[in-house]
Amino acid sequence: MRDIRDDLRERLAAIQTAFNAATEEHENQMIALQAGYRQKADALERERQAVLQLLKIEEARATSSGPSIARHPALPLSEFIITKLHTIGPMTKEQIRAEVDRAGYLEGEATGRTFHLTLMNISGAGGRISKLPDNRYIAQSRSDATLFSPSHPERHLMA
């Protein structure tokens, strides 16, 4: 039998060289990966800081100039009133006005006069709502065409 210890030592040295090369390659890849991450993280942090600064400016502007952007309700005022009466039931003029105000209809150029005229127009003769003896308003019937009912002529526009 032949002595193979020298062969095994050479094999061990080759394995150690390969191990050292793999470790060095791993370390280089980790350095490159960390550098790439750091670049992306720094860029995102700069962007985050810029957006935070813009937000601070806009918040300061909004609080110093009073109400910010007026809401623009989606329904016409008359449809909103009729829908509320269908949903909630009979309401006084003050209750209806509170709902209208809460929904943002009385901001900007719209006034209480706009609300009053709209209420009178839809509650007049042949109107879609009527006034009860106790001064509350009620929708004529649930079968009337509201913007949410299938028979309303503008319903197809919302789809």
Side-chain angles (χ1 to χ4, degrees):
M1 271 243 176
R2 167 176 107 82
D3 187 8
I4 61 169
R5 288 181 292 170
D6 287 335
D7 292 337
L8 292 176
R9 284 186 192 108
E10 284 179 32
R11 180 80 163 256
L12 189 59
I15 292 172
Q16 186 63 46
T17 302
F19 180 80
N20 291 344
T23 301
E24 184 178 343
E25 182 182 351
H26 171 72
E27 288 173 0
N28 290 339
Q29 287 177 350
M30 289 299 293
I31 290 170
L33 186 62
Q34 286 175 340
Y37 165 76
R38 180 62 18 219
Q39 285 178 338
K40 288 179 184 178
D42 289 345
L44 289 170
E45 180 59 24
R46 285 190 303 273
E47 186 176 352
R48 187 178 81 81
Q49 290 299 324
V51 172
L52 279 172
Q53 288 298 323
L54 287 172
L55 180 60
K56 286 179 185 178
I57 292 168
E58 289 300 314
E59 285 178 345
R61 182 179 300 155
T63 56
S64 68
S65 67
S68 57
I69 300 170
R71 294 177 281 173
H72 298 287
L75 292 176
L77 180 56
S78 59
E79 290 293 336
F80 177 80
I81 293 170
I82 293 166
T83 302
K84 276 295 179 184
L85 289 171
H86 275 297
T87 305
I88 297 174
M91 295 169 53
T92 65
K93 182 177 180 179
E94 292 76 25
Q95 290 171 323
I96 297 170
R97 183 182 168 111
E99 291 290 329
V100 165
D101 193 29
R102 188 176 10 261
Y105 283 91
L106 300 181
E107 294 178 357
E109 296 178 14
T111 64
R113 183 150 178 78
T114 302
F115 164 71
H116 176 76
L117 289 173
T118 302
L119 187 63
M120 293 304 106
N121 284 338
I122 60 177
S123 66
R128 295 168 66 189
I129 66 173
S130 58
K131 194 172 187 181
L132 298 172
D134 64 356
N135 288 327
R136 293 185 304 156
Y137 291 87
I138 188 168
Q140 289 293 339
S141 73
R142 291 205 175 271
S143 64
D144 285 347
T146 66
L147 194 55
F148 296 114
S149 66
S151 61
H152 192 278
E154 293 180 20
R155 174 86 171 148
H156 69 280
L157 298 176
M158 294 180 62

